Amino acid sequence: MPLRLGNTAPNFTANTTVGEIDFHKYLGDSWGVLFSHPADFTPVCTTELAEVAKLQGEFAKRNTKTLAYSCDSVEDHIKWSKDIESYAADSGCDAKVTFPIIEGTDRKVAELYGMVDEMDETNKNKAGMPMTVRSVFFIAPNKQIKCIITYPASTGRNFNEVLRIIDSLQMAPAQGLATPVNWQKGDKACVLPFVKTADAEAKFGKDNIEHRFSYLRLTKPLEE
Ligand code: BEZ
């Protein structure tokens, strides 16, 4: 069965660029972003991991640990990290790959998380083996999967969107809100449709609720 939102993120132990880890213990009380890329030493993946290295401060502000994965060896991950850091330096950023890149030669994590898309004929490595696609699993401190996104090998991800999703996940459910299109931290959010207006007014303040339709009510989130 494929993993679904609400499932517990499967635990695993693995060799990584920062040593052997137990996934759940490594996450501890943090949020986690476990993401796969098709292969080391490929162009789009290099740009993606350089971006994740550059955004480590933003992930840390959100109490979030990032872990990368592909079906390559730790030796390759370590060699490739030099290219990633060199690419990040091109934009004037002294970013280092401090987050773990998980060894995937046994394909264990790829299978556990369904990161290999066998249906995509274009997604094969030189040996004809299907590669991992660009999956992202967002994991809450209680180890529940809160969001899953999957991009094909041909489309690099937008890691500002990954940060935006974390902001939404960390704020909206806790406040009984949902974040609208293109929402950014600090913007108004939607009161959930099944919440009574009187209850929303009591919580967020009568003057703070903007009524557009009976079912579309916007409010500034409470200060976190
Ligand atoms: C890339 O990262 O550029 C890439 C990897 C595998 C297939 C296509 C693109």
Side-chain angles (χ1 to χ4, degrees), residues 49-159:
L49 271 81
E51 188 65 12
V52 175
K54 284 159 64 176
L55 289 173
Q56 280 306 297
E58 292 301 318
F59 285 109
K61 275 188 216 162
R62 292 160 175 82
N63 184 32
T64 301
K65 292 181 177 169
T66 58
L67 301 95
Y69 177 87
S70 71
C71 296
D72 296 293
S73 65
V74 157
E75 289 72 33
D76 276 351
H77 291 333
I78 290 170
K79 277 191 220 147
W80 181 46
S81 294
K82 300 282 159 268
D83 292 355
I84 296 166
E85 290 171 0
S86 165
Y87 186 79
D90 289 352
S91 58
C93 189
D94 184 27
K96 300 282 176 247
V97 182
T98 51
F99 56 91
I101 311 179
I102 300 163
E103 177 151 74
T105 44
D106 61 5
R107 297 188 158 237
K108 190 175 78 179
V109 174
E111 279 159 23
L112 207 52
Y113 278 78
M115 292 164 162
V116 172
D117 191 342
E118 315 222 3
M119 302 301 284
D120 181 352
E121 278 302 308
T122 63
N123 191 42
K124 299 253 167 73
N125 68 12
K126 275 187 246 154
M129 293 280 280
M131 295 181 287
T132 39
V133 286
R134 301 186 197 279
S135 301
V136 189
F137 292 85
F138 297 76
I139 299 160
N142 68 358
K143 308 296 175 290
Q144 243 188 20
I145 297 173
K146 295 295 183 187
C147 179
I148 303 172
I149 57 178
T150 306
Y151 282 38
S154 55
T155 306
R157 287 156 289 197
N158 181 336
F159 280 90

